[in-house]
Amino acid sequence: MLKRYPLVKNMLVPVSKLAEAKQKIAAGGNALHKFYADIASLAATEGLEG
C-alpha cells in the first residue's frame, strides 16, 4: 500500500493519538485533512472507494 500510495505514510499515527487525528481529519484546515483528501481522491479515480 505504501508503494502505491506514498502519502499513506503521512497518515500513520500512534494509537494513543488516533482520536485526535480523526478529529483533525474531520475538521479540515490541517495537514492530516489534506493528506486524507488527496488519498481519497486518488483512490476514487482508481475505483478503490470504500
Side-chain angles (χ1 to χ4, degrees), residues 5-48:
Y5 303 105
L7 288 175
V8 169
K9 70 179 178 184
N10 297 314
M11 300 293 298
L12 300 177
V13 297
V15 173
S16 62
K17 296 190 182 243
L18 186 57
E20 179 184 344
K22 286 178 147 183
Q23 289 176 342
K24 285 183 177 183
I25 291 168
N30 58 69
L32 280 178
H33 178 79
K34 169 108 173 72
F35 294 139
Y36 179 84
D38 291 347
I39 294 165
S41 177
L42 181 58
T45 62
E46 295 183 2
L48 299 175

